[in-house]
Amino acid sequence: MIFRHLQTYDRPFIHKWLKDGHRTCPQTQQVLSHTVLTPNHLVRELIAQWCKDHGIQLPPPVKDLDEGVITDADRGHLNSLLDKLSSTLSEQKQAAREIRLLTKRMPSFRSFFGESVDAIPQLLNPLSLSEKLDDHPDLQEDLVTVILNLSIHDNNKQVIGEHPLVIPLLVESLTRGTIDTRSNAAAALFTLSALDSNKLLIGKSGALKPLIDLLDGGHPLAMKDAASAIFNLCVVVENRGRAVRDGAVRVMLHKIMDGILVDELLSILAVLATHQVAVEELSELGAVKCLLGIIRGNTCERNKENCIAILHSICINNRTKLKELRDEEKAYCTISKLSEHGTSRAKRKANSLLDRLYRGINLTHTA
């Protein structure tokens, strides 16, 4: 199976690239399926940790760039499109497609939805159709993508997340419709989950299971969006238990073993490894050998740090796994090398494991 490599760029530069009229990836020259900018919080988290380890202050994130204020004419046009969403099916489809394009190209149109109390309910009027929305995958894709476009605007996150129809629509769309619908639904949940109150709402909605299924499904763009959403949601402790119960550990470990989204999924597993059941599953699924192999052969310091943190949690809870660590040390000195050359957190975890291996000192959990 071939997986498309996904690029991450510094926001001001990729924004200028798109504003200049380019519609291809600067690195691969592939035509872009859309030009909606979505923050890569996983990469930012890796950068933030590196800056912390090296005593460098991380600059503040670039805010959403609003290219002008919506005019009265624009406002009238958008209201007329919203009115059409209560009309015939053909007019609904035409209006939804145009709103999708407007909110994609012009940030000022996104802000309108946060300012108007009626805009979101009007946008979701097609959900009141007697016909099922997934009988019309083009309309479903356009509505989900509009929600994604709107959710990028910071001032919209709360009003969109708290609307009673939005999150259920996104959760249902994770399993139905086109692959773009499913991927954009995951991306919308990811951007909405930047708000802590939305993390709880999304977690309680049952979104984690379909997100994990989407990650397991194998489509590269959808997997990336699903992983990003899961990572954000699992920042909240309550959602970690839900993710574990819904099978996240098995899916993620198998993906890592296959060399897929290794950086991102190790970051998520390091968070889930604070949960007792997750640690037990990792132990049963053969994670120790996999994690040691990554430490030994991977050049990414953050990955090594996450691996040793997960191993630390496993060996606290399952002493029988210490034999694998002893064998690894005898053959490659993997943990000893990490204790000397890893990040500060990796050194701390590695030294704690070495104490356990060679001096019989009981481990205590450290951050």
Side-chain angles (χ1 to χ4, degrees):
M1 185 176 291
I2 298 174
F3 294 93
R4 182 174 58 187
H5 185 64
L6 302 172
Q7 304 290 332
T8 296
Y9 297 100
D10 193 43
R11 185 182 181 99
F13 292 99
I14 192 62
H15 183 270
K16 184 178 185 303
W17 172 268
L18 297 174
K19 187 177 179 182
D20 289 343
H22 299 287
R23 289 299 177 264
T24 58
C25 171
Q27 180 70 23
T28 66
Q29 299 305 311
Q30 289 181 324
V31 177
L32 300 173
S33 60
H34 64 78
T35 58
V36 177
L37 298 181
T38 302
N40 191 334
H41 289 291
L42 289 176
V43 170
R44 181 172 177 82
E45 197 260 348
L46 300 179
I47 294 171
Q49 185 60 47
W50 186 91
C51 289
K52 181 180 178 182
D53 291 341
H54 292 80
I56 297 172
Q57 185 174 2
L58 184 70
V62 177
K63 297 294 184 182
D64 193 23
L65 301 174
D66 194 348
E67 298 174 348
V69 178
I70 189 168
T71 66
D72 288 341
D74 290 336
R75 194 182 302 274
H77 179 52
L78 194 51
N79 279 323
S80 70
L81 291 174
L82 290 171
D83 288 340
K84 288 183 180 180
L85 290 172
S86 300
S87 186
T88 64
L89 181 60
S90 62
E91 287 198 316
Q92 288 176 354
K93 290 185 176 184
Q94 181 269 329
R97 174 52 59 95
E98 190 166 347
I99 293 171
R100 172 180 177 172
L101 294 174
L102 288 172
T103 54
K104 168 186 171 183
R105 295 170 180 167
M106 301 179 64
S108 56
F109 277 89
R110 302 172 200 161
S111 62
F112 170 84
F113 282 81
E115 299 165 0
S116 171
V117 294
D118 296 325
I120 298 295
Q122 284 180 287
L123 176 68
L124 299 176
N125 265 333
L127 297 179
S128 62
L129 285 170
S130 58
E131 303 171 272
K132 291 184 178 179
L133 186 59
D134 55 0
D135 289 338
H136 305 284
D138 51 343
L139 177 57
Q140 181 185 17
E141 180 181 325
D142 286 337
L143 289 177
V144 167
T145 307
V146 170
I147 292 171
L148 169 59
N149 294 344
L150 298 179
S151 69
I152 295 170
H153 191 73
D154 285 343
N155 292 341
N156 288 343
K157 295 186 192 301
Q158 184 171 0
V159 66
I160 293 174
E162 293 180 356
H163 191 283
L165 295 180
V166 170
I167 291 177
L169 169 63
L170 296 176
V171 172
E172 181 180 358
S173 297
L174 290 171
T175 59
R176 300 176 183 272
T178 67
I179 190 61
D180 283 339
T181 297
R182 299 169 68 193
S183 181
N184 287 347
L189 290 171
F190 166 61
T191 57
L192 289 173
S193 65
L195 206 63
D196 285 345
S197 58
N198 284 345
K199 288 182 176 69
L200 291 169
L201 289 173
I202 295 168
K204 291 176 181 177
S205 74
L208 278 159
K209 181 61 167 67
L211 282 169
I212 293 165
D213 290 342
L214 191 58
L215 175 64
D216 195 24
H219 189 281
L221 180 60
M223 285 196 301
K224 179 74 172 181
D225 289 325
S228 298
I230 294 167
F231 178 84
N232 252 15
L233 293 173
C234 287
V235 169
V236 175
V237 174
E238 295 92 326
N239 287 336
R240 296 174 196 173
R242 295 184 178 108
V244 173
R245 288 192 297 272
D246 288 335
V249 173
R250 178 192 60 81
V251 170
M252 292 180 188
L253 186 58
H254 287 173
K255 292 292 180 186
I256 290 170
M257 289 177 173
D258 290 337
I260 299 168
L261 295 180
V262 173
D263 299 5
E264 293 88 344
L265 298 184
L266 279 175
S267 294
I268 301 172
L269 283 183
V271 173
L272 294 182
T274 60
H275 192 279
Q276 176 69 29
V277 176
V279 173
E280 293 171 0
E281 276 193 63
L282 286 165
S283 181
E284 293 169 0
L285 292 168
V288 171
K289 181 179 179 181
C290 172
L291 296 170
L292 288 171
I294 293 173
I295 295 173
R296 192 185 331 117
N298 197 296
T299 59
C300 175
E301 293 301 318
R302 180 59 172 169
N303 285 352
K304 294 179 181 180
E305 179 184 305
N306 282 328
C307 285
I308 198 68
I310 299 166
L311 284 169
H312 188 275
S313 295
I314 291 173
C315 292
I316 289 174
N317 291 276
N318 190 339
R319 296 178 61 184
T320 65
K321 296 299 176 181
L322 290 172
K323 182 181 183 304
E324 292 183 59
L325 269 63
R326 290 192 188 98
D327 293 342
E328 179 77 16
E329 274 298 288
K330 288 177 182 178
Y332 304 106
C333 298
T334 301
I335 301 173
S336 297
K337 291 176 182 177
L338 191 60
S339 72
E340 296 176 3
H341 305 295
T343 65
S344 58
R345 182 167 177 254
K347 289 178 180 178
R348 193 164 66 248
K349 296 290 187 179
N351 280 317
S352 184
L353 281 174
L354 290 172
D355 285 344
R356 178 63 177 246
L357 285 174
Y358 297 123
R359 300 173 201 154
I361 299 176
N362 290 329
L363 285 170
T364 55
H365 190 77
T366 54

